[in-house]
Amino acid sequence: QHSLFSVFSEFGLLYSVRVHRNAAVAGPGYYAVIKFYSAADASRAQHACNGQRLFQKSPLKVCVCTKQKGFHQQVLALNSNKCQELANHYLGFNGWCSRIITLQNVSGFDDENGELGKTFQKGSVKYLCAVEVTLPNHGVCSRGVGLGEADIENSGDPLEFVTATRRVQKLAVGKALSNAFQKILLVVLENGKVAVEYNHTQEEPTDSLTEEELKGLVQVNELPLEQFDLEEEVLSDLTLDDELPVWEMPSN
């Protein structure tokens, strides 16, 4: 797996590398599924590496995966770590920055009695976060909102409550950051240059609010929390719309 990552990362940023043993009916050996962020990078890697002895005696058969059996087409948002990895690669570590506008405790906010004081009795904790991502070199600014939630088994344990609170805060910030990045389009040209556009079709009601209004978001009744309950990215071997290369490695 390390050898594969070292070789194919030279063609572009890798999303994931997974190595599996062949099925019994296929004979001894291994195969790998490697995902690129860019379909163009994957295509270059396939043409350059197919039939080559890259790091072993036997040549590798490299092909592009086009089968996605049992996969329902849907758009899954990248999680915050993947978004940052992508931004650092194409924009540079100094090419973007983020800040937390607000991080609010909304535990019990959807309780039928509307009493925030029942956090411990409900056995759950929720935090709502608003984040702003700025790309200063491109004049692009994007906002995102995320909701983090976790159940507490022992509501009377202060240590468990504090631990759950920190975990939920981190989750809310990550979802908000991911939501903000979904509105940013990175256009990678053939010469390697990167253009940035703001995707207006992904705008949400929160984007038109002032910073003061965002900090008081809990009191804005017309914004249901459900729309901020973003799902974390689900990792699967075949879950990208782009063409994915597959490497088949026979045993030495």
Side-chain angles (χ1 to χ4, degrees):
Q1 182 169 332
H2 175 74
S3 298
L4 284 171
F5 185 90
S6 299
V7 170
F8 292 103
S9 61
E10 296 181 3
F11 296 94
L13 185 63
L14 299 182
Y15 176 84
S16 66
V17 178
R18 297 185 179 185
V19 180
H20 306 274
R21 187 181 297 274
N22 285 342
V25 295
Y30 297 84
Y31 71 95
V33 177
I34 299 182
K35 296 181 181 180
F36 284 84
Y37 283 96
S38 168
D41 292 341
S43 179
R44 289 191 301 107
Q46 191 271 332
H47 286 92
C49 299
N50 186 32
Q52 302 298 316
R53 296 177 174 86
L54 301 177
F55 53 84
Q56 60 179 31
K57 295 180 180 179
S58 301
L60 293 181
K61 177 183 178 182
V62 184
C63 58
V64 176
C65 176
T66 57
K67 296 181 180 179
Q68 300 194 20
K69 294 182 179 179
F71 173 65
H72 301 287
Q73 295 294 333
Q74 56 180 319
V75 178
L76 299 177
L78 292 175
N79 62 34
S80 59
N81 291 333
K82 293 295 186 181
C83 289
Q84 294 178 72
E85 181 181 56
L86 195 61
N88 289 336
H89 179 78
Y90 286 112
L91 304 175
F93 290 96
N94 297 324
W96 68 279
C97 60
S98 65
R99 69 183 182 95
I100 297 176
I101 299 176
T102 182
L103 183 61
Q104 303 178 30
N105 185 352
V106 295
S107 303
F109 181 68
D110 55 353
D111 184 75
E112 59 181 0
N113 296 323
E115 299 180 10
L116 295 176
K118 292 190 176 182
T119 301
F120 286 94
Q121 297 180 14
K122 284 194 65 176
S124 66
V125 58
K126 295 181 182 179
Y127 268 83
L128 184 67
C129 180
V131 167
E132 183 178 78
V133 173
T134 304
L135 281 58
N137 296 333
H138 300 274
V140 174
C141 181
S142 176
R143 288 177 176 177
V145 179
L147 178 67
E149 180 181 6
D151 294 329
I152 304 176
E153 295 183 2
N154 186 2
S155 302
D157 186 352
L159 180 59
E160 183 176 352
F161 177 75
V162 171
T163 303
T165 297
R166 294 184 62 182
R167 183 174 67 253
V168 169
Q169 288 177 340
K170 183 178 180 180
L171 179 61
V173 173
K175 287 186 175 182
L177 186 63
S178 174
N179 183 238
F181 269 112
Q182 304 316 308
K183 305 166 189 176
I184 298 176
L185 300 177
L186 299 179
V187 183
V188 183
L189 306 178
E190 292 184 359
N191 59 7
K193 293 184 178 181
V194 179
V196 178
E197 295 289 342
Y198 180 78
N199 188 2
H200 293 277
T201 62
Q202 297 292 327
E203 284 188 330
E204 298 171 316
T206 52
D207 296 329
S208 61
L209 299 179
T210 65
E211 187 166 324
E212 290 71 20
E213 289 173 327
L214 280 173
K215 291 180 179 179
L217 193 59
V218 174
Q219 284 73 40
V220 183
N221 297 327
E222 64 267 21
L223 295 179
L225 292 178
E226 287 77 6
Q227 69 172 303
F228 305 129
D229 192 11
L230 305 176
E231 292 294 334
E232 280 294 291
E233 178 186 31
V234 179
L235 298 181
S236 175
D237 282 344
L238 300 176
T239 56
L240 294 185
D241 293 331
D242 292 336
E243 294 182 334
L244 308 176
V246 174
W247 286 263
E248 296 182 358
M249 298 180 293
S251 298
N252 289 332

